[in-house]
Amino acid sequence: MAGIHDVAKMAGVSASTVSNVINGRAGKMRAETRQRVLEAIEALKFTPNSAARQLKSGHNTTIGLIIPSVANPFWGAIAHQIEQATRKRGYRLLICNAERDPEVEQSYAETLIGSGVMGVILGSSPLNFDHLKDLIARGLQVAAFDQRARESGSGVACSVSVDQELGGLLSAQHLIGHGHRRIGILTGPVRTNSRIGRVEGVRIAHARAGIPFDESLLWQGGGVSGFGDMQGAELGRIGVRELLSRENPPSAIVCGNDMFAIGAYAGARDLGVSIPEELSIVGFDDIALSELVFPPLTTIRQPTAAMAEMVVDLLIHCLEEVGAPREDNFVNIRPQLIVRGSTGPARRRPNRE
Ligand code: RIB
C-alpha cells in the first residue's frame, strides 16, 4: 500500500508538502504543486489513515454535508464532488438531505456534533443562521455553500458561492441583447439568498437597459410547500403554462435552475410553443443534462467541481487552524453564461399577442 513518501516522490515534493495538501493547508502553495500532489494521491490510491491521524491530531476527520436533497441533480453532483474532495484529503463525509428546513438542519447538525463531527458544509442558502447559533457557539465550524455568508454575527467560518446576482444579470442581459422586452422568471419561492440574488440580477439588467421589469412575471412555485427543490421539472412545466397563458405573455424566461428549465420545455411543448423561435429559455447550474436536452439549454455555469474542492479546503483549514474568519475565507466565483440553442431573437408569436 502506498505511503506518504511514495506520493511525495511521485509528485517531486517533500512529505510535509503532501501533508499540507492532505490537511487543507495548501493556501499559499502554487496551484501546479497542489495539483501534482493530488494527481499522485489519485494515481497511487493513497488513503491517509484517518483513525491514526485523528489520534495524533485530536481532530475528528469526518465532515457533514447538509443539502436540500440529492434527488435534485445539481445537489447530487455536488454531494459526489464534495465526497471525492474530502476523501482525497483523508476525511470522510456524511450526507444529510434536509430540504432547506431549518428544524431538520438543526437536528442533523446536533446529531453530527453529538458524534464528534466539528465541521459542516451547509448548502441551503438560508436567510440567516440563527438555527445553528447554539451549535456554532459549541464549536461547530460551518461552511456556507451557495451563498456568500460574510455578514458579521452569522458565525459562519467560510463560504463558497458563485456570484448569484451576476448570474441573474448575465442571463437577463443575454435575452435583452436578443431583443426580448418581456422576460419572465420561473423559480421556487424566493426565500433563499441564492434565489434573491438571481432575481435581483435580472431586475438590475432591466434597470440598466431602461426596460421596466413586470413583477407579475415573477413566478415563484405556484404555492408549492417548502422550496420545490425536488419538484423542479414538474414546477417548470406548470409555471411556463401559467406564464404563457397570460394576456401579455413573456417572450423569454429565466429559470431558477436547469431542472425548472427542462420542465419548462415540457410545458412549452404541451402548448405547441417552439423553443427558441417562440420562447427563449435560460437555465442556471449547467448540470450534465442541460446540453443533452433538445434544444441544448443556454444556462449559467456553476463550476461545481472546483467549488467542491474549495469549500472542503477552506473548511479543513478552519477546523485545523481555528481563528477569526479571514476575508479570503469567503469566496465569490464569477459564473459563466453558456450560450446554446434555447435562446434566440425575440419574435412576435402569432395568435398570442
Ligand atoms: O436546486 C438547485 C439550485 O439551488 C442551484 O442553482 C443551487 O445553486 C441552489 O440555489
Side-chain angles (χ1 to χ4, degrees), residues 72 74-75 100 146 164 194 198 229 256-257 284-285 302:
N72 174 308
F74 172 83
W75 292 113
R100 302 192 199 251
D146 205 36
Q164 308 287 0
S194 52
R198 292 173 197 182
D229 288 279
N257 65 40
F284 204 107
D285 292 342
Q302 303 207 50

Side-chain angles (χ1 to χ4, degrees), residues 86 100 116 136 173 197 214 253 281 289 324 330:
T86 50
R100 302 192 199 251
I136 291 174
Q173 281 181 335
D214 181 348
I253 296 180
I281 294 190
L289 279 177
F330 300 87

